[in-house]
Amino acid sequence: MWTWFHKLASPPHFYALADKLIPWLSVPGYLLIAYGVYAGLFIAPEDYQQGDAFRIIYVHVPSAYLSMLAYMIMAIAGGIGLIWRMKLAHAVAASCAPLGASFTFLALATGSIWGRPMWGTWWEWGDPRLTSELILLFLYFGYMALRGAIDDTAKADKASAVLALVGAVNVPIIHFSVEWWSSLHQGPTLIKEGGPAIDPGMLYPLLAMIFGFSLVFGGMLLRRVRTEVLRRESRTRWVKDMMLQSQEG
Amino acid sequence: MLAVGLAVLGVAAAAGLTLQAFKDNMMFFVSVTEVVAGEYPKDRNFRVGGLVVDGSIERADGSLDVNFMVTDLRCEIPVMYTGVLPDLFREGQGVVAHGRMDAAGTFVADEVLAKHDENYMAPEVAESLAMQHSDGIAMAASGEQLECDVE
């Protein structure tokens, strides 16, 4: 029953599988983003209060969503690595961090650009949503710094996995911040009682962007994990064999 | 292991401090009724939140001075501000003003932030909605529904 799990954990098997999977994630991902950008900019109606300025939502929301999803993947992968001593899981966690940090930065930057004309401020320290998202960025930085500071890969894996797991407490704080505390940031639009509070013409491009971003992120992640696996396994037989083969071919 | 221990401690401390800071900040703004009742910090700047009363916005010609009333559907206070207002600032809109009360009972703001809600609509939809039922906020914002009885 667990053979698929053990097979997945085997680096050569994963390396080949990821190679096949990457185009199946990236191509539909970019297609969805292409549709989302076009429909979001040209087809979706303008907002009754914000006019055309609301369209930054099509970058802001997918980025913010992925900043949290990437962290959860990183923490869960770190946990799996700790519990089952699965090296591949640690490789996944390590590969997740720079991507998650990039999406977090994108969410903060687009949010700031959006906030200046609409709310009247670039940044508001008193707002729990903004502050907890900034803490997420620092968690990613801390994770990467901790990894970089420890030379021994096995030790770095363990230490950073613990950090990722402890920091995971921040993710629900980000999500529920707008409900728990009074904030400048508005409450959830998509996941709420009575369904999404957004015009369908605006919603479909947004969903396309969220799924598109997720698929492209999946493709990027697999590509990074492949490189990470090669780096970690560079002294093993299968990597040497594969390199020799590719030189001959 | 020492590094891990320090990292865990650091994160735990950061999380604790953050939650504490948010707890202090939970009342991100003081309500208008509280201001009228005198329940606000007298010696420092604070935030007051409410809706901009319909028809109360007065702009002085040739300057950025603007006066308007803010209500929480019970009480109203006048607000004075000089500067550029956010795009979302308009009648009936939720705003949060930062500043202090002057002796005359006017809130002198040095910053006005506009909140927006979680609804995104096309303009036509918003118009037809407003036609169907002029909603409670607009009616209440004219200041007739609840009495401002502050002990």
Side-chain angles (χ1 to χ4, degrees), chain A residues 19 33 53-54 59 91 101 114 148 173 180 186 203 222 232 234 244:
Chain A
D19 194 36
I33 289 177
F54 96 94
V59 186
W114 197 359
I173 293 179
W180 290 344
Q186 75 285 0
L203 175 66
L222 286 184
R232 288 167 180 242
S234 56
L244 285 174

Side-chain angles (χ1 to χ4, degrees), chain A residues 27-144:
Chain A
V27 174
Y30 283 117
L31 287 176
L32 277 172
I33 289 177
Y35 160 74
V37 166
Y38 177 74
L41 288 181
F42 299 106
I43 299 177
E46 57 172 31
D47 182 56
Y48 75 119
Q49 286 201 318
Q50 305 191 37
D52 282 326
F54 96 94
R55 295 183 200 276
I56 199 169
I57 198 175
Y58 294 113
V59 186
H60 178 71
V61 169
S63 306
Y65 170 70
L66 273 169
S67 70
M68 293 191 278
L69 183 71
Y71 196 94
M72 288 316 289
I73 294 176
M74 188 172 93
I76 292 169
I80 291 176
L82 275 186
I83 296 165
W84 287 292
R85 300 176 185 279
M86 185 171 160
K87 283 179 188 162
L88 183 68
H90 285 305
V92 170
S95 311
C96 241
L99 292 174
S102 309
F103 282 117
T104 312
F105 174 77
L106 211 55
L108 288 167
T110 52
S112 191
I113 293 168
W114 197 359
R116 177 60 203 153
M118 288 306 145
W119 295 341
T121 181
W122 295 103
W123 186 260
E124 182 54 61
W125 281 110
D127 188 281
R129 171 60 67 81
L130 274 56
T131 312
S132 53
E133 182 76 8
L134 184 67
I135 289 171
L136 184 71
L137 185 67
F138 293 157
L139 279 169
Y140 279 121
F141 286 165
Y143 180 91
M144 289 188 278

Side-chain angles (χ1 to χ4, degrees), chain B residues 133-145:
Chain B
H133 51 91
S134 53
D135 52 22
I137 289 177
M139 272 165 59
S142 57
E144 288 158 5
Q145 277 198 331

Side-chain angles (χ1 to χ4, degrees), chain A residues 48-49 117 124 182-183 189, chain B residues 26 47 87 93 115 118 121:
Chain A
Y48 75 119
Q49 286 201 318
E124 182 54 61
S182 58
S183 65
T189 293
Chain B
M26 255 168 73
R47 288 198 161 87
D87 280 13
Q93 187 76 33
K115 272 172 78 89
E118 69 278 18
M121 289 188 249

Side-chain angles (χ1 to χ4, degrees), chain B residues 18-37:
Chain B
T18 310
L19 287 173
Q20 193 55 42
F22 286 157
K23 211 174 155 197
D24 292 341
N25 240 321
M26 255 168 73
M27 286 311 292
F28 180 62
F29 51 78
V30 178
S31 78
V32 176
T33 305
E34 283 165 338
V35 172
V36 172

